[in-house]
Amino acid sequence: GDAGSRALAGPGVRTCRDRAEPAALPPAPLGFTDVNLNSRNTYEVSRRRSAPEHLPHGGDTTPAAPAPPPQQPPERARHRLGIAGAGSSFAEFFTRNFFTKRTKELKPAVQSAPGWKLFGKVPPRENLPKDSKIIQQEYEARTGRMYKPPGPSARRKNIEFEPLSTTALILEDRPANLPAKSVEEALRHRQEYDEMVAEAKKREIKEAHKRKKIMRERFKQEENIASAMVIWVNEILPNWEGMRATRRVRELWWQGLPPSVRGKVWSLAVGNELNITPELYEIFLSRAKERWKSFSETSSENDTEDAGASVADREASLELIKLDISRTFPSLYIFQKGGPYHDLLHSVLGAYTCYRPDVGYVQGMSFIAAVLILNLEEADAFIAFANLLNKPCQLAFFRVDHSMMLKYFAAFEVFFEENLPKLFLHFKSYSLTPDIYLIDWIFTLYSKSLPLDLACRVWDVFCRDGEEFLFRTGLGILRLYEDILLQMDFIHIAQFLTKLPEDITSEKLFSCIAAIQMQNSNKKWAQVFASLMKDNKEGDKNHSPAPKN
């Protein structure tokens, strides 16, 4: 039947009959006021139950539930049926809408009226959730204090110093389905937010002062460089041999070379003991290009085993060059494939492998060649590169001469213990030897470990003082971070020294380098290293086998 189909349809579902005959339903009696307006189905069932005599009689229509007893007054019956009392049928029980949807438009007319739940009445709600404005007014009336929270525009005035957007959420009101903030809580949140904004403002001001200080130092440095450039160009370079060893030039050298004369001073300081000419560079470059071309083609099958082995070594060296170039100063994007200096770096390294096949290519060379290319022309960069790697220290490391490398490490430890005894003992307790961190520094001349501009300044003084300054720089780095390193274990020390902080400045580093004394028992670096070499030779003689008769 019609009423039965409505009962089975469930809450919130209208049957076809409901949509077809809306005008057949009489208006609700004036006495029926306590209904659930969120469920139209329940409302209609209640109307039909309260006035069954108005329902249309048809052959296919059956009542949803038996009519109330005739002896019961109609008003009481309407009240019981409309509220789903104890005598309700199962059909009416299932047509009740237990989980009504919240709607903003429909609100109870009298909030203090008793509500209803599944099992009996709910007592009137005396403490209803109050609006925040009402709570604020009551608080002001009770305390006599006026509080006017700033509007959104006022809160966003200092947008420069405002913390992250999520921080400001503490000022927002809670959603409507949660209890409203009390005035005390709102005041506390406002105070916390103001404190966070004040801290952010302090940090911003501090950073702004720091930036201004850096800019002032940079401007001062540029002025010094400009004035120094005039001295270098007009006075020092024209009289190089006579002035290079003077105290004035050495002090000016320590402050850093102007970029415009850096390459020229490096070339003069490194020298050209190998007498390499630009024409010789072109010869070795053409050989390298022929080798690259031959390696790109199929290898000859008639090579002997020895020749095949040497070809394999050279091919591996060229492949290593290709791989290392892509990893040279990757943040600059100028030496990678397609960059402006990719082919140039490839040419210098390839020509060197042909010029010094006894050394070949070793990882780390690409950084040294790249720094020279940034400051010199192609041929001049090759000449400086070949002569620089011919120095005793570089030759020992790039040839991987273990005995010589150990002597350099031993000399370094002598001055390490002299200058930083506490850190030296800390390293000893973890058996942390210098080769763990020095090899990378020496192989790349600090160009990989330090920022490029700082590495160039290290190179400036290295060209002035020689290999001693490389190890002095290493001690300066350890002195700069001594307090941090003393708190670390073996793994963290190795990781830290492999990847130094990027915020290291030249002023801090060079002040630490200046504090390093390269003297031990009145012996300088060269004397300490020579004594180690002498002791090693005597030890070799003592351990040499006796001659046979």
Side-chain angles (χ1 to χ4, degrees):
D2 187 41
S5 62
R6 291 187 183 91
L8 296 174
V13 181
R14 296 184 60 193
T15 61
C16 297
R17 188 88 177 200
D18 290 334
R19 292 191 295 269
E21 301 175 357
L25 299 176
L30 297 177
F32 187 77
T33 57
D34 193 2
V35 295
N36 187 357
L37 296 181
N38 291 332
S39 175
R40 177 169 182 148
N41 209 22
T42 305
Y43 177 61
E44 291 179 355
V45 170
S46 301
R47 289 171 59 180
R48 285 164 173 75
R49 295 296 305 268
S50 61
E53 64 276 9
H54 296 293
L55 290 175
H57 297 281
D60 58 341
T61 304
T62 58
Q71 66 272 12
Q72 190 174 11
E75 193 67 27
R76 186 176 174 188
R78 281 195 296 272
H79 183 73
R80 290 188 62 191
L81 292 172
I83 309 304
S88 302
S89 64
F90 282 107
E92 184 182 356
F93 177 80
F94 285 109
T95 56
R96 288 298 305 274
N97 191 358
F98 298 132
F99 306 101
T100 58
K101 295 190 296 181
R102 281 186 176 272
T103 54
K104 294 182 180 180
E105 299 81 17
L106 300 175
K107 296 182 180 179
V110 183
Q111 295 187 2
S112 61
W116 294 87
K117 64 178 182 179
L118 183 60
F119 302 105
K121 289 186 179 182
V122 176
R125 297 184 63 184
E126 297 179 359
N127 298 324
L128 295 173
K130 299 179 182 180
D131 186 73
S132 59
K133 293 183 179 178
I134 299 174
I135 297 174
Q136 180 180 333
Q137 291 173 1
E138 292 177 355
Y139 175 78
E140 291 173 356
R142 187 170 65 253
T143 60
R145 289 187 295 177
M146 298 292 292
Y147 171 71
K148 294 182 179 180
S153 59
R155 291 206 302 262
R156 302 296 187 263
K157 280 184 179 179
N158 293 331
I159 192 70
E160 182 182 357
F161 304 108
E162 181 140 345
L164 296 176
S165 58
T166 54
T167 306
L169 291 176
I170 197 172
L171 296 177
E172 304 297 332
D173 294 330
R174 293 196 182 100
N177 59 334
L178 295 176
K181 290 182 183 179
S182 65
V183 177
E184 292 85 352
E185 187 179 10
L187 288 170
R188 188 176 73 252
H189 287 178
R190 179 66 195 181
Q191 184 180 0
E192 292 175 0
Y193 176 76
D194 290 341
E195 290 174 358
M196 288 186 284
V197 171
E199 288 296 325
K201 188 173 182 178
K202 286 180 182 178
R203 288 195 301 269
E204 184 66 25
I205 292 173
K206 187 176 180 180
E207 291 175 1
H209 286 318
K210 187 177 180 181
R211 287 194 297 268
K212 287 181 181 179
K213 184 179 178 181
I214 292 173
M215 290 301 295
R216 285 197 299 267
E217 292 176 354
R218 187 173 296 174
F219 290 148
K220 185 179 178 180
Q221 186 179 6
E222 289 178 357
E223 291 176 357
N224 294 337
I225 289 173
S227 60
M229 183 187 65
V230 176
I231 299 173
W232 280 98
V233 171
N234 297 333
E235 300 180 28
I236 300 174
L237 290 178
N239 306 293
W240 174 254
E241 293 299 332
M243 295 189 66
R244 63 176 298 179
T246 61
R247 183 175 181 179
R248 179 194 177 196
V249 172
R250 290 181 64 84
E251 289 178 354
L252 201 61
W253 210 330
W254 175 268
Q255 297 173 7
L257 298 172
S260 58
V261 300
R262 176 168 278 155
K264 180 66 175 176
V265 175
W266 285 0
S267 296
L268 292 172
V270 172
N272 188 10
E273 294 179 354
L274 299 175
N275 296 319
I276 302 174
T277 61
E279 293 75 19
L280 188 63
Y281 166 67
E282 294 295 335
I283 293 171
F284 286 111
L285 178 59
S286 61
R287 289 184 186 178
K289 290 180 178 179
E290 291 175 2
R291 186 176 296 176
W292 295 332
K293 186 178 179 181
S294 65
F295 283 138
S296 63
E297 300 171 356
T298 306
S299 300
S300 174
E301 297 180 359
N302 297 325
D303 289 336
T304 62
E305 291 184 2
D306 293 339
S310 63
V311 166
D313 292 339
R314 289 196 297 269
E315 186 173 7
S317 181
L318 291 176
E319 286 297 321
L320 190 58
I321 290 174
K322 189 183 299 183
L323 178 63
D324 253 18
I325 288 177
S326 64
R327 298 183 296 196
T328 304
F329 297 117
S331 60
L332 298 180
Y333 300 104
I334 57 176
F335 296 106
Q336 286 65 39
K337 192 170 184 179
Y341 292 106
H342 173 269
D343 295 339
L344 192 57
L345 182 57
H346 200 271
S347 299
V348 170
L349 295 175
Y352 182 78
T353 57
C354 293
Y355 174 70
R356 292 297 298 266
D358 58 322
V359 179
Y361 177 79
V362 182
Q363 281 185 310
M365 287 183 177
S366 61
F367 281 90
I368 298 176
V371 173
L372 292 170
I373 287 171
L374 291 174
N375 292 276
L376 292 164
E377 296 296 329
E378 181 177 354
D380 295 331
F382 175 80
I383 295 170
F385 181 71
N387 282 277
L388 188 60
L389 297 192
N390 198 51
K391 302 294 181 182
C393 181
Q394 277 64 49
L395 204 58
F397 274 81
F398 283 111
R399 276 183 165 176
V400 196
D401 187 340
H402 291 287
S403 62
M404 286 294 293
M405 291 171 68
L406 290 175
K407 292 180 183 64
Y408 278 109
F409 294 148
F412 174 81
E413 286 194 305
V414 169
F415 293 97
F416 187 5
E417 185 178 11
E418 181 74 20
N419 288 273
L420 304 168
K422 196 174 180 180
L423 187 62
F424 177 79
L425 293 176
H426 183 67
F427 278 27
K428 281 290 184 182
S429 66
Y430 286 107
S431 300
L432 200 149
T433 53
D435 57 290
I436 294 175
Y437 51 92
L438 271 184
I439 285 179
D440 192 46
W441 293 352
I442 302 299
F443 266 100
T444 62
L445 301 181
Y446 296 96
S447 57
K448 182 182 177 183
S449 306
L450 296 176
L452 183 57
D453 57 341
L454 181 53
C456 287
R457 187 173 172 187
V458 170
W459 278 45
D460 292 342
V461 189
F462 163 62
C463 292
R464 186 195 77 172
D465 296 347
E467 63 186 33
E468 172 187 336
F469 189 73
L470 294 179
F471 298 94
R472 191 180 180 188
T473 300
L475 292 174
I477 293 172
L478 296 179
R479 181 185 179 89
L480 178 61
Y481 296 110
E482 181 178 11
D483 295 337
I484 299 174
L485 294 171
L486 285 172
Q487 307 299 323
M488 294 182 177
D489 57 9
F490 180 94
I491 296 297
H492 291 92
I493 291 173
Q495 291 176 345
F496 183 87
L497 295 179
T498 302
K499 180 64 176 176
L500 295 173
E502 295 181 358
D503 59 349
I504 183 172
T505 60
S506 59
E507 289 76 14
K508 290 181 179 179
L509 177 60
F510 271 77
S511 64
C512 290
I513 294 174
I516 298 296
Q517 300 296 322
M518 298 301 284
Q519 278 191 345
N520 176 260
S521 301
N522 296 325
K523 289 183 178 180
K524 295 185 178 181
W525 169 269
Q527 294 171 325
V528 170
F529 188 76
S531 64
L532 290 171
M533 292 287 292
K534 183 179 179 181
D535 295 341
N536 186 69
K537 288 180 180 179
E538 290 178 356
D540 292 341
K541 287 181 181 179
N542 294 333
H543 291 85
S544 59
K548 294 181 181 181
N549 294 329

